[in-house]
Amino acid sequence: MRGPRLAPDLAPGGFRVTDGVTGAVFAPGCCNGLEEWREWLDVADGAAEGWFGHDPRAAAERHGGTVRLTVDTRAGSGQVIELPVDELRRLLAGAEQDLRDFVRLAGCWAERQLRGHARALTAALARALALEPSP
């Protein structure tokens, strides 16, 4: 196929973290999308180092009670953001709620615009965004 292609990511880029003191910005590169947000939980749990795509080659790893976000491991700029694990968990809980709110609002829209398909649409969005069913 020639011409434009659709990327496999649902929402390319994932989460961005900005250090309000230094101005450093941790932004995932290509090959990382919003639907992979649960990888941040693995980092917070210390179960894995996060990989957030190429160019920039951003990385996240837990060191004790702190998560270290390296803006670009290849640039050698030394730009690092450190935040307490508890703060990362709080930010992730807020982001998860934002994603759930988005799916709920999309469902409300679908009820009005796509009668009979709202449930399937919201279920597909929840799966694509790696959201477990709400209690």
Side-chain angles (χ1 to χ4, degrees):
M1 174 178 153
R2 293 179 186 221
R5 292 184 179 186
L6 294 176
D9 289 335
L10 176 69
F15 293 153
R16 175 185 298 259
V17 179
T18 303
D19 185 325
V21 175
T22 67
V25 177
F26 178 90
C30 67
C31 305
N32 186 266
L34 187 57
E35 70 278 7
E36 296 169 317
W37 72 273
R38 286 191 176 275
E39 289 182 27
W40 286 91
L41 294 171
D42 292 338
V43 172
D45 292 342
E49 288 184 13
W51 182 81
F52 299 95
H54 309 97
D55 302 323
R57 191 167 298 234
E61 55 189 337
R62 183 171 172 173
H63 293 274
T66 301
V67 173
R68 182 176 297 149
L69 308 175
T70 304
V71 173
D72 189 345
T73 60
R74 292 189 298 179
S77 68
Q79 283 194 308
V80 172
I81 299 171
E82 291 188 346
L83 67 154
V85 172
D86 290 343
E87 178 67 6
L88 177 59
R89 289 187 195 285
R90 186 189 67 74
L91 292 169
L92 290 172
E96 180 179 8
Q97 187 58 54
D98 289 345
L99 292 172
R100 288 187 184 286
D101 290 345
F102 168 74
V103 171
R104 183 184 49 76
L105 290 170
C108 292
W109 173 84
E111 285 291 338
R112 292 187 310 273
Q113 304 296 323
L114 303 169
R115 289 193 177 99
H117 299 285
R119 184 170 285 159
L121 174 77
T122 55
L125 279 173
R127 277 192 311 276
L129 291 170
L131 295 172
E132 296 170 356
S134 295

